[in-house]
């Protein structure tokens, strides 16, 4: 048997019996951000894959310790820039749990509504960008058209298009503008009426199906081993959704509308199908929340807070079903106005580790298809 050596090369091949080490990234056009993949290749087949993270690390967890409970919402908002509202939500739920605070019913239903609209915005980005990575440019234009419709209503209510900063400890920043619910209902209806573009144009495309069916299958055992969650886990048959299994906000009253989408194949196509079907369901949940808000009597949308907010000594953990998976905050308080410790468990960080299982044995040509189907945000990995 010929002994093998390992050679790191830039351009060109390596001699027979030599493994080639190829760096993918860290440059932005390569992936969804500055992630680096270190691949060991045998010809065109991947032998080993090591995700190298940290290029966008901001030290948010350390900064949490130097900000009070109002200011940390801004830091938590930004790690997954496609799920800003959901990121804020986890922090305020943790602080409210420490305080033993009950928020007004209008705030509960409005938070649920905005969380589902944020979920649709997140998913539309990936529904458009994933076909783009496989050579199909058209779907991304449709995705941005639908995103713009929903962004308009999110911007009207919060003032922000990406970082909403609308959650507050005790509720929401302010009440909804007059007539906003009618405009939101019209926006949801408009987006739903055009979602068949992704059903037909993408899923009905034989080239897309050929590039994704049977490619990058993730076993349920690997899902559990790496703590993978969200649509990626459910595409592998792991039936877990915190909105159903540990209801928070108003999800306990939405069980008839909530549908947990699963697949058994665990491949790239199954992950895309889960994402698309989950988008349809998020629109249904948003409609249900709008219907309930119309029935609620006028009332407050937040609690009055003291000028200096201090959480009692203790610790708690609050987790939510973010668009990309489970997002958790472990809060430790020493009774001061700043957290003693606030540990962030982000969905993308766990999900991306599964690439070490997914990529070995596959062809380099399938690497982009697999990487794109993991639906991650690099800021959510590096925090």
């Amino acid at each position: 048997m010929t002994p093998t050596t390992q050679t790191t090369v830039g351009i060109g091949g390596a001699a027979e019996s030599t493994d080639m080490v190829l760096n993918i990234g860290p440059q932005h056009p390569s992936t969804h951000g500055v992630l680096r993949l270190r691949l060991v290749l045998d010809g065109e087949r991947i032998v080993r894959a090591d995700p190298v993270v940290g290029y966008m690390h901001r030290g948010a967890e350390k900064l949490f310790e130097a900000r009070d409970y109002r200011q940390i919402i801004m830091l938590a908002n930004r790690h997954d820039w496609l799920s800003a509202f959901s990121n804020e939500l986890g922090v305020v739920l943790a602080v409210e749990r420490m305080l033993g605070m009950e928020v007004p019913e209008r705030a509960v239903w409005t938070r649920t509504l905005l969380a589902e609209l944020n979920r649709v915005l997140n998913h539309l980005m990936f529904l458009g960008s994933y076909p783009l990575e496989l050579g199909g440019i058209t779907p991304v234009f449709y995705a941005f058209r639908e995103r713009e419709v929903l962004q308009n209503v999110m911007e009207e209510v919060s003032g922000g298009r990406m970082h909403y900063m609308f959650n507050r400890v005790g509720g929401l920043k302010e009440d909804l503008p007059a007539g906003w619910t009618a405009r939101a209902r019209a926006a949801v209806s408009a987006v739903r009426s055009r979602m068949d573009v992704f059903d037909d144009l993408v899923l009905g495309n034989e080239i897309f199906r050929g590039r994704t069916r049977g490619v990058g299958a993730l076993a349920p055992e690997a899902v559990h081993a790496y703590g993978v969650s969200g649509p990626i886990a459910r595409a592998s048959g792991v039936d877990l959704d915190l909105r159903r299994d540990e209801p928070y906000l108003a999800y306990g009253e939405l069980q008839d509308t909530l549908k947990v989408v699963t697949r058994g194949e665990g491949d790239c196509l199954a992950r895309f199908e889960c994402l698309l079907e989950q988008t349809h369901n998020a629109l249904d949940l948003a409609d249900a929340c709008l219907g309930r808000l119309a029935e609620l009597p006028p009332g407050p949308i937040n609690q009055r807070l003291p000028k200096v907010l201090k959480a009692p000594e203790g610790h708690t953990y609050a987790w939510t079903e973010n668009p990309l998976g489970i997002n958790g905050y472990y809060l430790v308080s020493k009774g001061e106005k700043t957290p003693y410790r606030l540990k962030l468990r982000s969905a993308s960080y766990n999900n991306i580790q599964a690439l070490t299982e997914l990529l070995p044995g596959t062809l380099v040509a399938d690497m982009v298809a697999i990487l794109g189907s993991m639906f991650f945000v690099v800021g959510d990995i590096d925090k």
Side-chain angles (χ1 to χ4, degrees):
M1 182 176 177
T2 307
T4 60
T5 59
Q6 193 177 88
T7 305
T8 303
V9 298
I11 301 176
E16 188 177 353
S17 78
T18 302
D19 288 339
M20 181 170 76
V21 178
L22 180 66
N23 280 298
I24 305 296
Q27 73 270 9
H28 189 276
S30 172
T31 63
H32 296 276
V34 280
L35 172 74
R36 174 183 161 210
L37 284 177
R38 185 179 183 274
L39 307 179
V40 178
L41 308 179
D42 180 8
E44 293 186 24
R45 197 164 294 278
I46 298 171
V47 177
R48 193 174 76 244
D50 300 315
V52 183
V53 304
Y55 292 95
M56 292 185 68
H57 180 59
R58 299 177 295 117
E61 291 177 339
K62 196 65 183 173
L63 291 173
F64 285 146
E65 300 172 14
R67 305 292 189 276
D68 67 34
Y69 287 108
R70 292 180 174 89
Q71 295 169 326
I72 60 174
I73 299 172
M74 181 274 294
L75 290 171
N77 180 291
R78 284 159 165 73
H79 57 88
D80 175 359
W81 46 77
L82 295 178
S83 309
F85 186 87
S86 301
N87 298 340
E88 303 169 11
L89 188 59
V91 166
V92 296
L93 288 176
V95 178
E96 288 163 3
R97 184 174 298 173
M98 288 287 285
L99 293 168
M101 179 182 292
E102 292 285 338
V103 301
E105 189 177 14
R106 281 177 55 78
V108 171
W109 282 97
T110 306
R111 280 177 172 179
T112 310
L113 165 63
L114 296 176
E116 291 305 313
L117 292 179
N118 193 198
R119 191 180 309 277
V120 177
L121 284 167
N122 176 289
H123 290 355
L124 281 171
M125 177 63 80
F126 291 106
L127 292 174
S129 67
Y130 185 43
L132 179 65
E133 292 172 11
L134 299 180
I137 193 172
T138 308
V140 75
F141 296 118
Y142 289 107
F144 270 86
R145 179 186 66 179
E146 311 315 333
R147 275 177 55 86
E148 196 66 25
V149 173
L150 294 177
Q151 286 281 32
N152 287 339
V153 294
M154 293 293 282
E155 182 179 11
E156 183 185 355
V157 74
S158 68
R161 290 179 58 82
M162 198 165 185
H163 302 299
Y164 306 109
M165 283 302 297
F166 198 56
N167 276 290
R168 295 291 187 272
V169 176
L172 294 167
K173 177 185 175 185
E174 56 197 6
D175 210 342
L176 303 174
W180 181 86
T181 53
R183 292 187 289 276
R185 191 182 290 277
V188 169
S189 178
V191 171
R192 181 189 286 108
S193 69
R194 297 193 289 254
M195 284 298 294
D196 60 342
V197 166
F198 301 99
D199 293 307
D200 301 335
L201 184 65
V202 182
L203 282 182
N205 186 293
E206 61 183 57
I207 298 174
F208 178 82
R209 299 183 76 87
R211 288 292 307 275
T212 55
R213 186 193 286 115
V215 175
L218 182 64
E221 295 77 17
V223 169
H224 293 300
Y226 287 90
V228 175
S229 59
I232 301 171
R234 292 191 284 273
S236 296
V238 178
D239 189 3
L240 173 66
D241 192 313
L242 295 179
R243 297 174 297 170
R244 178 200 63 196
D245 301 327
E246 290 195 18
Y248 56 98
L249 294 182
Y251 289 113
E253 299 181 48
L254 291 169
Q255 296 302 305
D256 292 339
T257 308
L258 176 63
K259 179 183 177 184
V260 180
V261 183
T262 59
R263 291 290 187 276
E265 297 84 359
D267 57 9
C268 295
L269 181 60
R271 290 191 278 274
F272 186 86
E273 287 177 342
C274 275
L275 201 74
L276 178 55
E277 200 169 332
Q278 191 168 284
T279 307
H280 284 288
N281 186 240
L283 291 168
D284 293 339
L285 288 166
D287 254 346
C289 291
L290 284 165
R292 183 57 189 272
L293 277 172
E295 299 170 359
L296 291 178
I301 203 157
N302 51 36
Q303 296 273 25
R304 292 183 64 86
L305 299 176
K307 187 174 182 180
V308 177
L309 180 64
K310 295 183 178 182
E313 189 169 347
H315 59 92
T316 190
Y317 183 68
W319 57 353
T320 56
E321 188 68 42
N322 267 31
L324 298 181
I326 293 175
N327 189 79
Y329 292 97
Y330 178 59
L331 171 63
V332 181
S333 171
K334 293 288 188 179
E336 301 296 332
K337 65 178 183 178
T338 61
Y340 178 75
R341 184 78 172 90
L342 186 56
K343 176 72 176 72
L344 166 60
R345 189 265 191 221
S346 60
S348 298
Y349 183 79
N350 286 71
N351 292 354
I352 206 66
Q353 307 307 315
L355 287 172
T356 59
E357 292 272 347
L358 273 178
L359 290 177
T362 63
L363 296 173
V364 176
D366 290 328
M367 185 268 297
V368 173
I370 296 170
L371 190 62
S373 73
M374 296 306 286
F375 310 132
F376 62 89
V377 170
V378 177
D380 202 39
I381 301 170
D382 292 340
K383 298 179 278 189

